[in-house]
Amino acid sequence: MSIDTPREAPTPVARLDMRPIDVEALLGLEFVAVANDLAPATLALGRMTGGTLVGFAHLDHGPERGVDVVQFGERRPRDVLTELLYDTGITHDTVTWTALGPREDDRMWARSMSEARLYILLRTPSDQGSDDEVLEAVVTSQVGPDRVMRYGDIELWVPPERIPPGMAPLGSANYSYPDDPPSTIFDAANWFMISQTAGLQVKMLLEEHQPPYAAWAYHDVLRYLQRAAAAAEEALKFIPPGADEVPVTACWTADGLDTYRRHADKLRRDNLERNAESCRVAAGEWRRTVGPIIQD
């Protein structure tokens, strides 16, 4: 495509800590000089698998090193960046700046208190105390109708609880209601790995303990079975209606994209539904058969 072909104004997406020569070598593109009011600039154009036109721009005398990624079109910058990284094999380690899309909020919003608590627990090193100790140290404040939860450098916003008609308040076994949108603090692959890890924790507990189970072991097994089921259900929310698998744009974090690259075949609707159902059934059987014989 000729560099001077008429097109709409580009939208900034991100900056990569790469040199133009490295982009050329990796992607087979060529930087050419373009008119720019700030400084001499070069631009290379490419088209991603989905058809989105992207540009790699470099100011020759810019204050920072790196290549800016720009897109030509009306898409959420995060989605474009995720597809670009997936298509090219470039990792999040090279990303030094990411744009927000129109009307996007830079605050981190959890959909419920239970989702916020899970995020804090999973982002806190184990040497900082037990789960109960960590949650007791969380500072929660009210800002207008919303709650703000702070622990260390984590700050999460939680909107007022919205309970759909005929449903009970959320407990530890669920992180959102069925008609809630997908999470914005965990991506689809994060949820998949949370489910898998919880399942492994159940396996380890059952290998290490024999009946009659201590009360704490019984409750830990039940909690991890419920977490495994709920997390698989959360991953399912990212699959568009009529689709059979999680799209790559639903795996925008570094860990999530790495998981997608390795396990895209497991992020399918049938697999996630099977995992969620089996864990829900196992949790019910665990309560029915083990609950009456636990030790105090």
Side-chain angles (χ1 to χ4, degrees), residues 192-267:
F192 168 73
M193 290 307 300
I194 291 170
S195 179
Q196 294 295 294
T197 300
L200 290 175
Q201 288 168 318
V202 169
K203 182 179 179 181
M204 290 172 56
L205 283 167
L206 294 180
E207 289 174 347
E208 294 172 1
H209 302 277
Q210 300 296 324
Y213 297 99
W216 69 265
Y218 164 78
H219 288 294
D220 275 0
V221 169
L222 180 60
R223 175 164 58 94
Y224 286 128
L225 283 172
Q226 292 173 331
R227 177 181 293 181
E233 290 164 354
E234 292 298 338
L236 280 164
K237 287 193 170 190
F238 290 88
I239 301 179
D244 295 325
E245 59 190 22
V246 169
V248 67
T249 51
C251 304
W252 66 84
T253 66
D255 290 342
L257 187 57
D258 180 63
T259 299
Y260 188 89
R261 284 174 169 142
R262 294 182 290 113
H263 300 298
D265 59 318
K266 296 180 181 178
L267 290 165

Side-chain angles (χ1 to χ4, degrees), residues 24-264:
E24 289 180 330
L26 178 65
L27 305 182
L29 303 177
E30 180 180 358
F31 280 80
V32 298
V34 294
N36 190 283
D37 295 334
L38 299 177
T42 55
L43 177 71
L45 292 179
R47 193 175 294 278
M48 295 191 302
T49 302
T52 298
L53 181 66
V54 296
F56 301 87
H58 175 71
L59 291 178
D60 291 345
H61 302 297
E64 301 177 15
R65 103 179 207 127
V67 171
D68 288 336
V69 179
V70 295
Q71 66 155 317
F72 299 89
E74 295 291 336
R75 295 189 61 199
R76 182 163 58 176
R78 189 188 73 191
D79 292 350
V80 175
L81 176 63
T82 301
E83 287 184 355
L84 174 68
L85 298 182
Y86 181 69
D87 284 352
T88 62
I90 297 173
T91 68
H92 278 82
D93 293 337
T94 68
V95 181
T96 61
W97 171 84
T98 305
L100 288 174
R103 298 177 297 281
E104 283 190 313
D105 192 337
D106 62 354
R107 292 173 293 180
M108 296 185 65
W109 286 90
R111 296 163 299 169
S112 65
M113 294 292 286
S114 59
E115 182 181 39
R117 294 188 186 102
L118 179 65
Y119 184 92
I120 290 170
L121 291 176
L122 295 183
R123 294 299 189 276
T124 301
S126 59
D127 60 5
Q128 293 192 23
S130 66
D131 287 0
D132 289 340
E133 290 171 333
V134 169
L135 294 179
E136 286 176 4
V138 174
V139 177
T140 302
S141 57
Q142 196 79 20
V143 179
D146 307 314
R147 286 163 290 183
V148 185
M149 300 176 66
R150 296 182 176 91
Y151 181 84
D153 60 356
I154 298 173
E155 179 181 282
L156 293 172
W157 290 68
V158 186
E161 185 172 21
R162 179 195 60 83
I163 304 176
M167 303 195 74
L170 289 174
S172 59
N174 295 94
Y175 304 106
S176 69
Y177 290 105
D179 59 347
D180 281 341
S183 175
T184 58
I185 59 176
F186 293 113
D187 70 16
N190 294 157
W191 284 116
F192 168 73
M193 290 307 300
I194 291 170
S195 179
Q196 294 295 294
T197 300
L200 290 175
Q201 288 168 318
V202 169
K203 182 179 179 181
M204 290 172 56
L205 283 167
L206 294 180
E207 289 174 347
E208 294 172 1
H209 302 277
Q210 300 296 324
Y213 297 99
W216 69 265
Y218 164 78
H219 288 294
D220 275 0
V221 169
L222 180 60
R223 175 164 58 94
Y224 286 128
L225 283 172
Q226 292 173 331
R227 177 181 293 181
E233 290 164 354
E234 292 298 338
L236 280 164
K237 287 193 170 190
F238 290 88
I239 301 179
D244 295 325
E245 59 190 22
V246 169
V248 67
T249 51
C251 304
W252 66 84
T253 66
D255 290 342
L257 187 57
D258 180 63
T259 299
Y260 188 89
R261 284 174 169 142
R262 294 182 290 113
H263 300 298

